PDB file of all heavy atoms in Angstrom:
ATOM      1  N   THR B1107     -28.177  51.283   5.661  1.00 97.00           N
ATOM      2  CA  THR B1107     -29.197  51.057   4.652  1.00 97.00           C
ATOM      3  C   THR B1107     -30.559  50.915   5.316  1.00 97.00           C
ATOM      4  O   THR B1107     -30.666  50.829   6.538  1.00 97.00           O
ATOM      5  CB  THR B1107     -28.881  49.805   3.828  1.00 97.00           C
ATOM      6  OG1 THR B1107     -29.740  49.739   2.690  1.00 97.00           O
ATOM      7  CG2 THR B1107     -29.075  48.543   4.660  1.00 97.00           C
ATOM      8  N   GLU B1108     -31.561  50.932   4.502  1.00 97.00           N
ATOM      9  CA  GLU B1108     -32.918  50.791   5.023  1.00 97.00           C
ATOM     10  C   GLU B1108     -33.381  49.353   4.861  1.00 97.00           C
ATOM     11  O   GLU B1108     -32.981  48.651   3.923  1.00 97.00           O
ATOM     12  CB  GLU B1108     -33.867  51.734   4.286  1.00 97.00           C
ATOM     13  CG  GLU B1108     -33.583  53.198   4.538  1.00 97.00           C
ATOM     14  CD  GLU B1108     -34.532  54.105   3.769  1.00 97.00           C
ATOM     15  OE1 GLU B1108     -35.184  53.618   2.827  1.00 97.00           O
ATOM     16  OE2 GLU B1108     -34.622  55.297   4.117  1.00 97.00           O
ATOM     17  N   LYS B1109     -34.239  48.963   5.729  1.00 97.00           N
ATOM     18  CA  LYS B1109     -34.817  47.622   5.663  1.00 97.00           C
ATOM     19  C   LYS B1109     -35.393  47.371   4.275  1.00 97.00           C
ATOM     20  O   LYS B1109     -36.054  48.231   3.694  1.00 97.00           O
ATOM     21  CB  LYS B1109     -35.910  47.494   6.721  1.00 97.00           C
ATOM     22  CG  LYS B1109     -36.620  46.157   6.733  1.00 97.00           C
ATOM     23  CD  LYS B1109     -37.731  46.143   7.772  1.00 97.00           C
ATOM     24  CE  LYS B1109     -38.529  44.857   7.648  1.00 97.00           C
ATOM     25  NZ  LYS B1109     -39.671  44.819   8.591  1.00 97.00           N
ATOM     26  N   GLY B1110     -35.084  46.188   3.765  1.00 97.00           N
ATOM     27  CA  GLY B1110     -35.596  45.809   2.459  1.00 97.00           C
ATOM     28  C   GLY B1110     -34.659  46.080   1.304  1.00 97.00           C
ATOM     29  O   GLY B1110     -34.873  45.589   0.188  1.00 97.00           O
ATOM     30  N   LYS B1111     -33.601  46.841   1.549  1.00 97.00           N
ATOM     31  CA  LYS B1111     -32.670  47.178   0.483  1.00 97.00           C
ATOM     32  C   LYS B1111     -31.669  46.054   0.247  1.00 97.00           C
ATOM     33  O   LYS B1111     -31.482  45.168   1.073  1.00 97.00           O
ATOM     34  CB  LYS B1111     -31.920  48.459   0.829  1.00 97.00           C
ATOM     35  CG  LYS B1111     -32.802  49.676   0.974  1.00 97.00           C
ATOM     36  CD  LYS B1111     -33.400  50.107  -0.342  1.00 97.00           C
ATOM     37  CE  LYS B1111     -34.142  51.439  -0.185  1.00 97.00           C
ATOM     38  NZ  LYS B1111     -34.772  51.856  -1.459  1.00 97.00           N
ATOM     39  N   TYR B1112     -30.980  46.162  -0.877  1.00 98.00           N
ATOM     40  CA  TYR B1112     -29.934  45.211  -1.263  1.00 98.00           C
ATOM     41  C   TYR B1112     -28.566  45.801  -0.939  1.00 98.00           C
ATOM     42  O   TYR B1112     -28.327  46.984  -1.154  1.00 98.00           O
ATOM     43  CB  TYR B1112     -30.063  44.932  -2.760  1.00 98.00           C
ATOM     44  CG  TYR B1112     -28.944  44.149  -3.376  1.00 98.00           C
ATOM     45  CD1 TYR B1112     -28.864  42.776  -3.245  1.00 98.00           C
ATOM     46  CD2 TYR B1112     -27.945  44.805  -4.124  1.00 98.00           C
ATOM     47  CE1 TYR B1112     -27.839  42.053  -3.833  1.00 98.00           C
ATOM     48  CE2 TYR B1112     -26.925  44.097  -4.711  1.00 98.00           C
ATOM     49  CZ  TYR B1112     -26.874  42.723  -4.575  1.00 98.00           C
ATOM     50  OH  TYR B1112     -25.858  42.009  -5.145  1.00 98.00           O
ATOM     51  N   VAL B1113     -27.666  44.950  -0.424  1.00 98.00           N
ATOM     52  CA  VAL B1113     -26.350  45.417  -0.013  1.00 98.00           C
ATOM     53  C   VAL B1113     -25.268  44.494  -0.556  1.00 98.00           C
ATOM     54  O   VAL B1113     -25.447  43.269  -0.594  1.00 98.00           O
ATOM     55  CB  VAL B1113     -26.264  45.463   1.529  1.00 98.00           C
ATOM     56  CG1 VAL B1113     -24.839  45.627   2.001  1.00 98.00           C
ATOM     57  CG2 VAL B1113     -27.123  46.587   2.082  1.00 98.00           C
ATOM     58  N   GLU B1114     -24.169  45.075  -0.958  1.00 98.00           N
ATOM     59  CA  GLU B1114     -22.983  44.312  -1.354  1.00 98.00           C
ATOM     60  C   GLU B1114     -21.795  44.753  -0.514  1.00 98.00           C
ATOM     61  O   GLU B1114     -21.541  45.948  -0.361  1.00 98.00           O
ATOM     62  CB  GLU B1114     -22.654  44.520  -2.837  1.00 98.00           C
ATOM     63  CG  GLU B1114     -23.614  43.865  -3.796  1.00 98.00           C
ATOM     64  CD  GLU B1114     -23.108  43.887  -5.222  1.00 98.00           C
ATOM     65  OE1 GLU B1114     -22.056  44.513  -5.480  1.00 98.00           O
ATOM     66  OE2 GLU B1114     -23.767  43.271  -6.092  1.00 98.00           O
ATOM     67  N   LEU B1115     -21.077  43.786  -0.004  1.00 98.00           N
ATOM     68  CA  LEU B1115     -19.866  44.048   0.767  1.00 98.00           C
ATOM     69  C   LEU B1115     -18.705  43.360   0.059  1.00 98.00           C
ATOM     70  O   LEU B1115     -18.803  42.194  -0.317  1.00 98.00           O
ATOM     71  CB  LEU B1115     -20.013  43.509   2.199  1.00 98.00           C
ATOM     72  CG  LEU B1115     -21.244  43.991   2.964  1.00 98.00           C
ATOM     73  CD1 LEU B1115     -21.324  43.293   4.324  1.00 98.00           C
ATOM     74  CD2 LEU B1115     -21.231  45.490   3.142  1.00 98.00           C
ATOM     75  N   ARG B1116     -17.616  44.079  -0.063  1.00 98.00           N
ATOM     76  CA  ARG B1116     -16.496  43.577  -0.862  1.00 98.00           C
ATOM     77  C   ARG B1116     -15.301  43.231   0.006  1.00 98.00           C
ATOM     78  O   ARG B1116     -15.008  43.918   0.990  1.00 98.00           O
ATOM     79  CB  ARG B1116     -16.096  44.635  -1.885  1.00 98.00           C
ATOM     80  CG  ARG B1116     -14.850  44.322  -2.707  1.00 98.00           C
ATOM     81  CD  ARG B1116     -14.429  45.516  -3.538  1.00 98.00           C
ATOM     82  NE  ARG B1116     -13.093  45.336  -4.091  1.00 98.00           N
ATOM     83  CZ  ARG B1116     -12.857  45.091  -5.377  1.00 98.00           C
ATOM     84  NH1 ARG B1116     -13.859  44.985  -6.241  1.00 98.00           N
ATOM     85  NH2 ARG B1116     -11.615  44.947  -5.809  1.00 98.00           N
ATOM     86  N   CYS B1117     -14.604  42.189  -0.393  1.00 98.00           N
ATOM     87  CA  CYS B1117     -13.387  41.772   0.300  1.00 98.00           C
ATOM     88  C   CYS B1117     -12.280  41.530  -0.712  1.00 98.00           C
ATOM     89  O   CYS B1117     -12.454  40.768  -1.659  1.00 98.00           O
ATOM     90  CB  CYS B1117     -13.624  40.499   1.111  1.00 98.00           C
ATOM     91  SG  CYS B1117     -12.111  39.806   1.833  1.00 98.00           S
ATOM     92  N   ASP B1118     -11.153  42.153  -0.466  1.00 97.00           N
ATOM     93  CA  ASP B1118      -9.971  41.968  -1.302  1.00 97.00           C
ATOM     94  C   ASP B1118      -8.914  41.274  -0.440  1.00 97.00           C
ATOM     95  O   ASP B1118      -8.327  41.904   0.446  1.00 97.00           O
ATOM     96  CB  ASP B1118      -9.468  43.314  -1.797  1.00 97.00           C
ATOM     97  CG  ASP B1118      -8.548  43.189  -2.991  1.00 97.00           C
ATOM     98  OD1 ASP B1118      -8.026  42.074  -3.212  1.00 97.00           O
ATOM     99  OD2 ASP B1118      -8.333  44.200  -3.679  1.00 97.00           O
ATOM    100  N   PRO B1119      -8.695  39.986  -0.644  1.00 96.00           N
ATOM    101  CA  PRO B1119      -7.795  39.250   0.251  1.00 96.00           C
ATOM    102  C   PRO B1119      -6.332  39.561  -0.039  1.00 96.00           C
ATOM    103  O   PRO B1119      -6.005  40.255  -0.998  1.00 96.00           O
ATOM    104  CB  PRO B1119      -8.112  37.794  -0.080  1.00 96.00           C
ATOM    105  CG  PRO B1119      -8.492  37.843  -1.529  1.00 96.00           C
ATOM    106  CD  PRO B1119      -9.228  39.146  -1.705  1.00 96.00           C
ATOM    107  N   ILE B1120      -5.485  39.001   0.785  1.00 94.00           N
ATOM    108  CA  ILE B1120      -4.050  39.119   0.557  1.00 94.00           C
ATOM    109  C   ILE B1120      -3.708  38.367  -0.736  1.00 94.00           C
ATOM    110  O   ILE B1120      -4.189  37.246  -0.953  1.00 94.00           O
ATOM    111  CB  ILE B1120      -3.269  38.568   1.753  1.00 94.00           C
ATOM    112  CG1 ILE B1120      -3.516  39.464   2.971  1.00 94.00           C
ATOM    113  CG2 ILE B1120      -1.784  38.467   1.452  1.00 94.00           C
ATOM    114  CD1 ILE B1120      -2.936  38.940   4.269  1.00 94.00           C
ATOM    115  N   SER B1121      -2.891  38.993  -1.551  1.00 92.00           N
ATOM    116  CA  SER B1121      -2.550  38.395  -2.839  1.00 92.00           C
ATOM    117  C   SER B1121      -1.963  36.997  -2.664  1.00 92.00           C
ATOM    118  O   SER B1121      -1.070  36.781  -1.840  1.00 92.00           O
ATOM    119  CB  SER B1121      -1.533  39.297  -3.556  1.00 92.00           C
ATOM    120  OG  SER B1121      -1.143  38.721  -4.793  1.00 92.00           O
TER     121      SER B1121
END
Side-chain angles (χ1 to χ4, degrees):
Chain B
T1107 191
E1108 294 179 344
K1109 178 183 173 183
K1111 298 291 187 182
Y1112 171 79
V1113 167
E1114 289 190 354
L1115 306 175
R1116 174 188 167 107
C1117 173
D1118 198 342
I1120 293 173
S1121 178

